[in-house]
Each structure stands twice: as structure tokens, then as C-alpha cells.
Amino acid sequence: MTKFEVLLNQVYAAWLGKLIGIRLGAPVENWTFEDIRKTYGHLKGYPVDYGVFASDDDANGPLFFVKALERYGKDVSAEQMGETLLSVASHGHGFFWWGGIGVSTEDTAYHNLLKGITAPASGRMEVNGKTMAEQIGGQIFSDCWGYVSAGNPEIACDLAAKMSSVTHDGDGIEGGKFVAACIALAFNETDARIVIEKALTYLDPQSDYVACVKDVLSMKDSGLSMEECKRVIFDKYSYANYPGVCHIIPNTAIMIMSMIYGENDYSKTLTMLCECGWDTDCTCGNVGSIMGALVGIAGIEEHWITPIQDLLISSSSIGSKNLDTVSETALYFTSLAAKLNDIEIDEKYQRILDAKETISFFDLDYGTQGFQTKEERYSSVQLKCDGGNLKCIVAQGFPGKYGKIYKKSYFVPSEVYDARYQPSMSPRLYPGETIAFVLSNPNAVKIKFQIYVQDVDHNVYTGEWFTVGQDKERHQWKIDCPKDVLLSEYGLRLHYEERIMHDVFLIHEVSTDHVFDMEIVWKNQCMEDWGLDFGELPWKEVRQCTTMNNRAVITDKGLEVKNDSVMFSDVRAQIVKGEVEFEFEGSFDLMICAEDFRHYVGLKISEKELSLVFRNGNSIKKSLLSDKKMMNLGKNGLNFIVKNGLINVEINHSYHYETELSLTEMKKGAFGVVCDENSRCLLVGCKLESI
């Protein structure tokens, strides 16, 4: 393996290890040891079969906080980390626990940032108090800094300290540094005890955090059994002895205990830890990450991995980034690590990273890129990553019958276990895109293939049937379906021409090109009912959208937005043409190219003003196109075309404006609207094209 491939596999194992830990601990979060033992006995696997696991804050943080590196580079400051948090988290929902100012550390720090208290002051105990500063959040989101460190604990600690300081202080920051350093060290060690001891050298030796870790280590050294050590921890480091909802010290104590008594065994360490109770998804997530880095993918038993299906659902403010895969995001982490540490990226991976389209690759064990099969009576197919290919094993297929291999491009609430952290998403696929499969059929299996898509109403649209030879062949289909449908899955349909048993064909690569031609009639959308969220409150969201304040609603007239921001379409696409029908009062921003709600190029629209708007965080620049009255409070039509560095805008088929995009270049980005509390916007219809 090349250096990059080794690192990719290490990061993948650590990231997968974390996601397993989250999934393991989530059903018993905040349970006591006694309740878990009484209910489940000794854990040997997941206590609950989640099916498709909903978003979780422990995964949201690591996945989206690293955007700070992508945007600001390796010298990113704590203040820029804080700006990143404001960019990726919606206001008051999704992403993390919004327990209230003075109760939830993240909620408190987020509102500090909104008030202009920049990081690191936003997280300091002088501002928020010692209790808020030293809750567990300082470490549960810090795994990503270990991933991008490429085994360098100094880099991991530096980045973790900056990000943790946005929301935490004191032991909250020490915990962030500890987790990140452990992961970095675990890439090059084989013993958890050594990892822990080396990680301590990067922490403040006078901190309570270090004292706690050393105390638990001394219990093992004094000859205490695991059960005896656990009882001492339950007494000495009880929640009752530490203020706040979820203090970092008690949970760290049981994390250390599991790692030193777990005998470097992933399953033993994780189940031992989960059985202890307290903040189980957080503790198991962090330790799962460290142990995954330590033992590698070969050290994680298959029964932990296969239920995940390589799927990753998130709840950031960026809808089309909220449905992803473990393997795809592992490559993202590793690419950042390579840039940060001057590691050459292999040509095949650089091609994937640079490509305009999304390319699914199958180099990682269990990295099926979210592709699944549907077992039916006359069709049984299993998928296995093998030698960089997706091996499709046809256990049996009957002549004249059908099977399918598919990937989800959108989930509706009934397909996801729960609304744990208020999931919302925009589709990964749209009408007009081209889907391509690179296939081979080395055994000349008698199967015909057909590329297809399916919408949320279960209507199926297909390309032509084709056969595949023994050598690699590329087959593609430009999606031919109504422009206003919401696509929920795509893949291959199989038609068996003879009786097939235990035979195979190969998928080498799959791509989707983000070149779409779509339409939304907003009154035909709905408010998706996700059920109860983490706080046992009902959660509804506009279908295929993310919102900033969750105040936008679908009415019989369209999408009504007031004191809210709404984003939809694919952030990976470059939108070049659009038609929008709307009504409004006051003014609003029409985002034409949005990375998120705080970084976009758009049009500011009011009854008497049309301006080109460039927003970069708190910096907002406008270029006036017209100050003449051209809008009315009834229905308005706006068309735009972006071409060769120019934007041409037409209002109500009468007013034409063309200007050079002189302040920034419009590249990839999603579409949406920003409407303040003194204004109202009603979107009636929208047509978008990308290139």
C-alpha cells in the first residue's frame, strides 16, 4: 500500500469504530449500569436493531467541524472555528443538543457567538461558568482532529484545543486534546495503555482531567479487578459528585477503565464501556474511534459493521451533505490529512476528489458506498467489497425473474428509525442527471441489466436493457423522468435469463454527474413528520429542504418563509439557470450559489431594489443592479442565467440586468432563500438547471 492508502484505511477504521460506538450506546444513553444489566445482561452486540440509524450529534460534530480546515487552511484560528460552527449548525435544531442557555454548553456557546462573543471567549468559564465549560462536549466532537493529524499528536492537540475552546474551557479542552491525541497515537501503537500514557504528556499535568486518568490507571496497577475498579469509579466519580447534566470527568473515568481492562480487544472494550451506562453514545463513540485506530478494520468484528450499511445520515444546515457514506467521508478526512501533512494523494483518489461528478469507489472493506440489495423469493444477491470492486454474488436467480441493486438518494421519515437529532436532507440525485456504471461479467452470467431511478411515490423510471461482457464496460443513462419528481433511490435492475446459483458479476465504479434539470411546485410538497425528537417533541421539516429556524411551512399556495432561511438542491452542483415564481413583503435574499446559510452569492430583492449580494460569514457586500420599482406584492417572476463570469437577470419578463461577478466567482452551491423577521416570502415554483 502507498502511504495515502495506509492512512485511508486507518482513518476509515477509526471513523467506522466511532460510528459503531455511537450506534451501540445510543439506545441506553443516560441509563445506569444497573438498568442496563437488568434489561440486557451482558452485551454482545447492538441492544437495538436500528435498521437505518438517524443522525447523531457525536457524528455531526467531527464530520462538519473539519470544514474549518477546508475553508481556512492549516493555520485556522479558534475564531474561524467558531465561524464554522455558525455555518454548519442550524439555529435551535439538529446538529447537537439544544438544552437551553445555561444548561447545554453547546447551546450556550452558540448564542454567545451569535451575540458577537467570538471564540475562544465564547467557551470560557469566565463567560459561561466552570460547570458549563467542563461538560463532555469538549471531547465528543474531537475525533476528527486525530483523523486529519496523520498520526501526529501535536497537530491533533492543537486543532482539538482550538475547536474545543469554541464551546468549552478547562477540562473540557483537555478532554478534546486527549481524544484527538489518543487517535493520532493509536495509528502507530498496538497497546491502549501506551496510547493513554503518551496522550497524557500533551495535557496540562495539573488538570483534574489528568488526575482522573492517572487515578484509574493506578487502580489497575494496584491489582483491582475490572469489577472492583468499576465500583470504585461509580462511587468516587459518580454524577452526583460533579455539577451539570453530563460532566466530562465521570465519563472519562469509565472510558479509561474500559481501555485498560479491555485487553486491546475492540468488542470487549466497547461492550464493557457501554454496560457502565452514563453518556454511552458519547463514551463509546470516542473509545470506538481510538480502538478502531488501534486495531484497524481487521480487529473489528463483522457483526458490528454490516448493520451500518456504509450509510451516514447527518443533521447539519447543509441538506445535500446530510446523506453520505462512511467510506466517502473517510476519504474526505484523509484528503484533509494529506494536505495538512504534505502526503501525496494517489492518482486514483485525486481523480475522485477532483471529479465534477460523485464517483463511488469500493477499495475499503465493507465500503459498499451505501449500495444494497433487496432479497426476494426468486432473487438473492449479496454485495461484498473485493479487490477494489463491488462483488455482486448471485446466490440464486430464477429465469424470467427480477432483482435489484440500489442506493438511497433520499430518505422519508418512515425509512429511518427515529428523529434522534432532527434529520433533514436534500436529495443526492435529481432529474436530468446521468448515472454511469462500470461493470464486468467475467463468468458470462446470463443477466440483463437496466439502470433505474425510483421516486418517493414508488414510481420507477428506467433506461434500456443491456448485457455486459467479460471485460469492463461503461453503461450510462441520463435520467428521463418528470422534472418535478423527488428521487429516492437509483441502481441496477437485474433480469435473469436462466437459472443462476452462486455466480458473480462486478461493479467497478458508479458515478452521478450533478447536471440536473429540475422543477419544484411548492404546494405539492409537504411537511415531513419525523415523529418525536431527542427531547420528545414533534419534529416536522419541509420535504427536501433544510431550514435555519424551522419556521418555514408548506401551504396550499407554496413555501412560506418568514424569519427563516431555506436551502435546497445539491451543494455539489453548479447552478447556471433558474426560474422562480414568488410573492413577498419587505425584502429577501435569493441564494443562487450557497455553501451554507452564511456563505453564498445571491440576489437581494425588495420592491425598489435589486442587488447582487456576496456573503462571507459576517461580511456582506452588495452591488446595486437597480433602484427602480420593478416588483409588486403579488406574483413575481425572476429568471437568471450565469455564464462566462456574468449574471443576467430578468424580472417579470420586462426588466433585464447583466453584471460581472467581480467580487467572487460562482461555483458549486445549493439554492434557497433568506428572509428576516420583518419580511415574508412565498415561493410558488422553481426551475433550476446545472452544468
Side-chain angles (χ1 to χ4, degrees):
M1 284 189 182
T2 65
K3 189 173 183 178
F4 184 84
E5 286 176 317
V6 170
L7 182 59
L8 174 59
N9 278 271
Q10 289 176 319
V11 170
Y12 173 60
W15 181 221
L16 186 57
K18 181 176 180 68
L19 298 175
I20 290 168
I22 295 169
R23 190 183 180 108
L24 168 64
V28 292
E29 184 178 4
N30 296 321
W31 288 30
T32 65
F33 163 75
E34 290 79 11
D35 286 339
I36 294 171
R37 180 60 57 85
K38 179 176 63 177
T39 305
Y40 292 110
H42 286 292
L43 294 172
K44 295 181 179 179
Y46 295 117
V48 171
D49 179 10
Y50 276 109
V52 177
F53 186 57
S55 54
D56 191 281
D57 63 333
D58 295 84
N60 287 330
L63 181 58
F64 289 97
F65 286 164
V66 289
K67 283 185 67 67
L69 281 179
E70 184 181 342
R71 179 170 288 152
Y72 301 110
K74 63 181 180 181
D75 296 322
V76 59
S77 66
E79 183 175 348
Q80 290 167 331
M81 294 276 199
E83 167 58 31
T84 301
L85 172 55
L86 288 178
S87 298
V88 298
S90 295
H91 188 126
H93 64 93
F95 207 84
F96 46 57
W97 177 53
W98 300 87
I101 298 172
V103 180
S104 161
T105 303
E106 290 77 20
D107 197 346
T108 303
Y110 178 91
H111 281 85
N112 287 342
L113 292 169
L114 285 182
K115 290 186 293 185
I117 304 174
T118 58
S122 55
R124 283 187 180 142
M125 59 180 68
E126 290 86 354
V127 175
N128 304 322
K130 183 176 173 64
T131 296
M132 281 290 95
E134 296 188 326
Q135 299 301 296
I136 197 172
Q139 70 186 19
I140 69 175
F141 305 129
S142 291
D143 311 71
C144 54
W145 312 118
Y147 304 159
V148 302
S149 73
N152 187 323
E154 288 90 355
I155 291 176
C157 282
D158 175 63
L159 294 170
K162 289 175 182 175
M163 188 68 236
S164 296
S165 74
V166 175
T167 49
H168 290 72
D169 200 358
D171 286 332
I173 294 177
E174 296 303 307
K177 291 161 57 180
F178 179 75
V179 166
C182 280
I183 294 168
L185 291 161
F187 285 157
N188 299 303
E189 297 290 345
T190 57
D191 186 85
R193 175 69 181 254
I194 293 173
V195 167
I196 293 168
E197 291 176 343
K198 286 188 175 182
L200 287 178
T201 65
Y202 296 94
L203 274 57
D204 176 5
Q206 303 304 314
S207 66
D208 291 340
Y209 194 96
V210 169
C212 169
V213 175
K214 287 185 174 180
D215 186 31
V216 178
L217 293 178
S218 70
M219 295 180 199
K220 176 76 158 58
D221 294 341
S222 68
L224 292 185
S225 69
M226 184 273 289
E227 289 293 337
E228 291 169 332
C229 178
K230 182 163 58 180
R231 289 299 172 188
V232 172
I233 290 172
F234 285 167
D235 179 50
K236 186 174 184 179
Y237 293 103
S238 165
Y239 268 24
N241 297 333
Y242 292 87
V245 176
C246 190
H247 202 278
I248 199 169
I249 294 297
N251 287 288
T252 298
I254 58 174
M255 285 167 57
I256 301 303
M257 183 209 74
S258 71
M259 286 193 284
I260 59 176
Y261 285 93
E263 300 177 334
N264 300 315
D265 181 282
Y266 182 89
S267 295
K268 182 176 181 179
T269 301
L270 264 289
T271 53
M272 181 192 306
L273 175 57
C274 191
E275 287 176 15
C276 287
W278 293 343
D279 197 358
T280 46
D281 63 331
C282 295
T283 56
C284 290
N286 281 148
V287 172
S289 205
I290 297 166
M291 293 301 298
L294 188 78
V295 304
I297 198 69
I300 304 176
E301 294 178 54
E302 188 171 349
H303 72 88
W304 296 116
I305 303 173
T306 51
I308 292 176
Q309 302 178 84
D310 202 27
L311 286 172
L312 180 59
I313 296 177
S314 307
S315 51
S316 75
S317 64
I318 312 164
S320 56
K321 289 283 190 179
N322 286 344
L323 176 55
D324 220 318
T325 69
V326 183
S327 46
E328 194 173 357
T329 50
L331 178 60
Y332 171 61
F333 286 130
T334 311
S335 69
L336 293 175
K339 293 174 184 176
L340 196 61
N341 296 275
D342 296 320
I343 297 171
E344 184 178 357
I345 301 176
D346 296 5
E347 184 178 348
K348 64 178 177 179
Y349 295 114
Q350 192 64 62
R351 169 179 165 263
I352 293 170
L353 293 165
D354 292 342
K356 182 179 178 180
E357 66 267 37
T358 292
I359 298 175
S360 296
F361 65 101
F362 305 104
D363 293 353
L364 298 171
D365 292 343
Y366 309 101
T368 60
Q369 292 286 334
F371 280 97
Q372 306 171 54
T373 61
K374 184 175 181 180
E375 292 294 297
E376 298 177 352
R377 184 170 184 177
Y378 299 109
S379 173
S380 177
V381 182
Q382 290 90 42
L383 304 179
K384 180 180 177 62
C385 292
D386 183 21
N389 306 308
L390 187 63
K391 180 188 285 186
C392 305
I393 305 166
V394 184
Q396 69 170 357
F398 284 80
K401 301 300 182 181
Y402 297 87
K404 72 174 181 178
I405 297 168
Y406 69 98
K407 180 174 180 173
K408 295 295 294 184
S409 56
Y410 187 82
F411 283 97
V412 297
S414 61
E415 296 171 324
V416 178
Y417 186 86
D418 63 11
R420 179 173 304 275
Y421 278 92
Q422 301 163 319
S424 58
M425 67 192 74
S426 299
R428 288 290 303 263
L429 191 71
Y430 290 89
E433 289 197 49
T434 296
I435 306 169
F437 281 83
V438 179
L439 304 158
S440 68
N441 188 4
N443 299 334
V445 183
K446 296 293 184 181
I447 298 178
K448 285 185 178 180
F449 301 88
Q450 186 181 57
I451 303 174
Y452 83 97
V453 295
Q454 179 175 299
D455 66 22
V456 291
D457 296 317
H458 305 290
N459 298 307
V460 176
Y461 310 92
T462 65
E464 299 293 327
W465 288 102
F466 59 89
T467 58
V468 176
Q470 293 178 300
D471 297 326
K472 289 183 182 179
E473 298 178 11
R474 187 177 192 273
H475 293 268
Q476 66 181 46
W477 175 56
K478 182 178 175 63
I479 300 172
D480 184 13
C481 69
K483 294 181 181 181
D484 62 345
V485 301
L486 174 55
L487 299 176
S488 62
E489 72 177 53
Y490 67 97
L492 287 174
R493 295 183 71 211
L494 315 176
H495 182 256
Y496 306 111
E497 297 185 283
E498 64 181 21
R499 181 78 161 90
I500 299 172
M501 297 181 66
H502 48 78
D503 218 327
V504 303
F505 63 90
L506 303 175
I507 300 176
H508 303 278
E509 187 176 281
V510 185
S511 64
T512 54
D513 69 355
H514 308 296
V515 178
F516 56 66
D517 185 0
M518 61 171 284
E519 180 178 355
I520 300 177
V521 179
W522 284 106
K523 67 180 182 180
N524 295 337
Q525 301 303 303
C526 67
M527 300 297 297
E528 290 187 327
D529 186 350
W530 288 86
L532 300 181
D533 64 11
F534 185 79
E536 298 185 5
L537 297 173
W539 174 246
K540 292 183 179 181
E541 182 63 279
V542 180
R543 171 164 281 183
Q544 68 174 302
C545 294
T546 45
T547 59
M548 176 55 77
N549 297 323
N550 191 234
R551 293 190 173 101
V553 295
I554 298 293
T555 71
D556 57 359
K557 293 183 178 180
L559 173 62
E560 185 169 350
V561 185
K562 184 176 182 180
N563 190 18
D564 206 352
S565 302
V566 179
M567 188 186 304
F568 52 95
S569 81
D570 191 349
V571 74
R572 300 168 180 85
Q574 183 178 355
I575 297 169
V576 293
K577 186 177 180 181
E579 300 178 24
V580 187
E581 186 180 358
F582 59 91
E583 299 176 10
F584 74 100
E585 297 172 13
S587 67
F588 70 99
D589 286 3
L590 186 68
M591 298 186 293
I592 296 174
C593 171
E595 293 182 52
D596 52 59
F597 290 124
R598 293 174 61 82
H599 299 83
Y600 60 83
V601 179
L603 294 167
K604 177 166 283 296
I605 298 170
S606 70
E607 191 175 5
K608 295 183 178 180
E609 178 185 339
L610 177 67
S611 296
L612 195 59
V613 178
F614 303 86
R615 177 162 188 176
N616 184 17
N618 290 325
S619 173
I620 302 175
K621 298 179 181 180
K622 291 198 306 180
S623 176
L624 185 66
L625 296 180
S626 174
D627 57 0
K628 298 178 181 178
K629 182 174 181 179
M630 68 198 84
M631 301 285 186
N632 58 65
L633 299 183
K635 288 186 179 180
N636 293 273
L638 182 148
N639 300 346
F640 67 87
I641 297 175
V642 180
K643 188 175 182 181
N644 299 328
L646 299 175
I647 180 168
N648 185 291
V649 182
E650 178 187 86
I651 304 293
N652 293 332
H653 304 292
S654 300
Y655 299 89
H656 298 267
Y657 300 93
E658 184 172 273
T659 186
E660 186 175 354
L661 296 169
S662 56
L663 300 180
T664 187
E665 183 182 357
M666 290 184 64
K667 295 182 179 179
K668 296 179 180 179
F671 197 82
V673 298
V674 176
C675 201
D676 64 31
E677 60 184 343
N678 298 314
S679 302
R680 169 185 171 273
C681 174
L682 177 73
L683 287 187
V684 179
C686 182
K687 298 179 181 179
L688 300 173
E689 293 183 23
S690 70
I691 59 169

